[in-house]
Amino acid sequence: MKIVIFGASGLTGHQLLEQGLRQGFEITAFVRDPSKLRIKHKNLNYVVGDVGNKDQVMDAVKGQDAALSALGASTPLKRNFILIEGIRNIVSSMEQQNVKRFVYESFLGVRENRAELGFFVNNIVSVFLKNVIADHEEKERIIRNSALDWTIVRAPKLTNGPYTGKYRIGEHIVSSSLILKVSRADVADLMLRLVRSGEYVRQAPRLLH
Ligand SMILES: NC(=O)c1ccc[n+]([C@@H]2O[C@H](COP(=O)([O-])OP(=O)(O)OC[C@H]3O[C@@H](n4cnc5c(N)ncnc54)[C@H](OP(=O)(O)O)[C@@H]3O)[C@@H](O)[C@H]2O)c1
């Protein structure tokens, strides 16, 4: 199965590459700087580009079976409108080229259903990460309004801990822990599983321990 990974040079992106190659995917990494790719593999190639550039995104999407986004802003202190434009470019390129499956890494701090998650997420996290949340909400809206077979994965705080495989998924799951966190390795495991299985199409499950 051929997939393109946007944000492949990032921390979740690296997990997607490593695990995806081990699972036999043929991967195109979309990167601004190929020297950041730490993996070489016969099933890994790359397209150099910025998601704000529609032609470069079109190039990367051509001929793929699915796309994954682990794109992220470099700072939570301000909005990132290039990445919002980037999601618009990915979605429209996929629609134009009939590449249907899109798995997008989001944040569980988005307002929809957030009341279920308790005081800390609703009153502390939501204040400190208001720009990140506003950006993800806008990108989620673009994805939801598309004709794609999308899944939005709403992750809690990400760590660089190991893969555990011990996580739960569901649109309304909650946890009694104060700090909700999961490793990027587990997020990548789920995103690749969703691509393989086609589960949770047009849904936005959370991922929690
Ligand atoms: N941090 C958390 O605790 C947390 C919790 C839940 C959800 N999330 C979300 O999870 C996602 C991934 O987070 P992460 O920490 O794994 O990501 P990350 O390490 O910050 O990586 C972000 C990736 O996006 C790429 N990128 C940024 N702007 C780009 C552009 N204009 N064109 C092309 N590529 C671009 C970066 O490329 P370069 O290498 O070239 O910069 C990098 O590959 C983010 O959306 C984040 O909001 C984070």
Side-chain angles (χ1 to χ4, degrees):
M1 192 173 192
K2 294 176 73 171
I3 59 176
V4 54
I5 297 175
F6 292 93
S9 57
L11 292 168
T12 307
H14 184 75
Q15 288 296 327
L16 286 168
L17 289 184
E18 209 171 74
Q19 295 184 35
L21 290 166
R22 223 181 301 132
Q23 292 172 20
F25 285 97
E26 284 177 53
I27 300 181
T28 299
F30 186 90
V31 283
R32 295 191 284 195
D33 175 1
S35 72
K36 285 192 177 174
L37 289 174
R38 286 171 281 156
I39 303 173
K40 280 198 166 48
H41 191 284
K42 65 176 174 29
N43 288 340
L44 173 64
N45 61 56
Y46 59 82
V47 168
V48 177
D50 187 297
V51 278
N53 182 313
K54 173 83 188 277
D55 291 339
Q56 291 169 337
V57 171
M58 272 290 243
D59 233 29
V61 164
K62 206 173 295 163
Q64 306 291 345
D65 298 310
L68 294 83
S69 167
L71 289 164
S74 56
T75 170
L77 299 179
K78 53 180 195 215
R79 305 281 313 266
N80 187 321
F81 296 102
I82 302 265
L83 281 183
I84 293 172
E85 191 53 33
I87 293 301
R88 227 176 251 118
N89 288 338
I90 293 170
V91 164
S92 63
S93 299
M94 291 179 72
E95 286 175 338
Q96 281 169 42
Q97 304 197 52
N98 207 26
V99 178
K100 298 288 272 184
R101 188 75 173 116
F102 185 36
V103 178
Y104 173 77
E105 182 180 16
S106 184
F107 175 45
L108 55 57
V110 295
R111 273 169 299 177
E112 189 187 55
N113 305 325
R114 188 172 68 196
E116 297 166 347
L117 290 169
F119 180 83
F120 191 68
V121 173
N122 279 284
N123 299 81
I124 312 287
V125 173
S126 61
V127 175
F128 282 103
L129 294 178
K130 65 175 193 305
N131 293 314
V132 175
I133 290 168
D135 280 2
H136 276 302
E137 285 176 343
E138 197 158 339
K139 290 179 274 188
E140 286 196 5
R141 245 188 321 273
I142 294 165
I143 296 165
R144 280 173 181 282
N145 288 334
S146 75
L148 302 177
D149 291 340
W150 52 265
T151 303
I152 291 166
V153 172
R154 290 181 174 158
K157 179 171 172 44
L158 301 175
T159 74
N160 293 322
Y163 162 79
T164 69
K166 293 187 186 128
Y167 54 79
R168 297 172 293 131
I169 1 169
E171 288 195 314
H172 298 282
I173 56 170
V174 293
S175 164
S176 54
S177 308
L178 178 63
I179 307 287
L180 307 176
K181 57 184 180 178
V182 70
S183 69
R184 289 179 173 88
D186 279 343
V187 176
D189 175 69
L190 173 61
M191 291 175 75
L192 292 165
R193 167 180 147 190
L194 293 172
V195 166
R196 282 193 317 267
S197 67
E199 297 162 275
Y200 291 95
V201 166
R202 300 187 79 79
Q203 295 182 56
R206 289 181 191 134
L207 163 67
L208 289 172
H209 282 296

